């Protein structure tokens, strides 16, 4: 067991609730960025360029917010865990196959991945509202960005 390095002004109950929501989000965002990069490198098809560029935008959002969310977790005294094993065990993002992947399938993969992450972020928004509006605000901003990406990928297949 690790010692407490950062003491939070949140109650223990609030810290636990918020810490769980933030940790789930960190794991999901790390995994989302990895899946997006994997398909980014392997996409092919007539929509290659537009899908390829969209994937970079998702990676930027996921990596930026993963850092923001992890630092918020640390700020409330909950050490974030971005280790590969933790991410693999706890992420809601489904694994993508290796090798080349057709542009239409990439779009489907990203719609599903983003949808899964958005649902869990929205659950985090709900659970953190009373416990810590500061963390909730971060999750609200993240949800807006993820939903924008989700919309753009859906429009690719419309």
């Amino acid at each position: 067991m690790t010692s407490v390095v950062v003491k939070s002004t949140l109650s223990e109950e609030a810290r636990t609730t918020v810490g769980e929501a933030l940790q789930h989000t960190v794991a999901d965002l790390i995994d989302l960025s990895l899946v997006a990069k994997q398909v980014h490198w392997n996409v092919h098809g007539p929509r290659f360029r537009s899908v390829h560029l969209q994937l970079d935008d998702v990676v930027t959002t996921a990596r930026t917010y993963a850092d923001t969310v992890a630092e918020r977790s640390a700020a409330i005294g909950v050490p974030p865990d971005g280790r590969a094993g933790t991410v693999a065990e706890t992420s809601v993002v489904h694994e993508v196959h290796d090798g080349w992947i057709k542009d239409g399938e990439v779009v489907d993969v990203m719609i599903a991945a983003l949808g899964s992450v958005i649902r869990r972020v929205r659950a985090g928004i709900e659970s953190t509202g009373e416990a810590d509006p500061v963390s909730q605000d971060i999750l609200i901003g993240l949800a807006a960005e993820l939903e924008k990406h989700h919309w753009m990928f859906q429009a690719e297949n419309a």
Side-chain angles (χ1 to χ4, degrees):
M1 180 163 189
T2 60
S3 62
V4 176
V5 174
V6 176
K7 294 190 186 313
S8 175
T9 58
L10 297 177
S11 71
E12 188 59 29
E13 182 182 353
R15 196 174 73 84
T16 299
T17 298
V18 174
E20 287 175 6
L22 296 176
Q23 178 55 45
H24 288 313
T25 304
V26 167
D28 291 346
L29 291 174
I30 290 169
D31 205 9
L32 180 65
S33 73
L34 294 172
V35 165
K37 264 308 181 188
Q38 177 65 26
V39 296
H40 168 91
W41 295 322
N42 290 289
V43 64
H44 68 95
R47 294 180 294 166
F48 166 83
R49 182 157 174 74
S50 66
V51 171
H52 187 78
L53 294 173
Q54 262 183 282
L55 290 164
D56 275 337
D57 291 342
V58 171
V59 170
T60 298
T61 297
R63 288 179 177 171
T64 300
Y65 269 95
D67 192 50
T68 299
V69 171
E71 288 176 354
R72 178 64 188 161
S73 185
I76 65 165
V78 178
D81 188 352
R83 295 173 301 156
T86 301
V87 171
E89 289 174 15
T90 62
S91 173
V92 295
V93 178
H94 295 295
E95 188 173 332
V96 64
H97 67 76
D98 64 346
W100 302 114
I101 183 166
K102 192 91 168 103
D103 51 8
E105 186 181 351
V106 168
V107 170
D108 290 340
V109 164
M110 293 309 298
I111 290 169
L114 286 160
S116 295
V117 175
I118 289 165
R119 281 186 290 281
R120 188 138 82 164
V121 167
R122 284 190 162 274
I125 290 169
E126 190 168 321
S127 71
T128 58
E130 224 174 281
D132 182 26
V134 176
S135 295
Q136 184 190 47
D137 186 55
I138 292 168
L139 296 177
I140 289 169
L142 170 60
E145 288 297 312
L146 294 175
E147 288 176 352
K148 180 177 80 173
H149 293 305
H150 193 240
W151 155 59
M152 289 184 172
F153 276 108
Q154 289 180 79
E156 281 283 341
N157 272 356

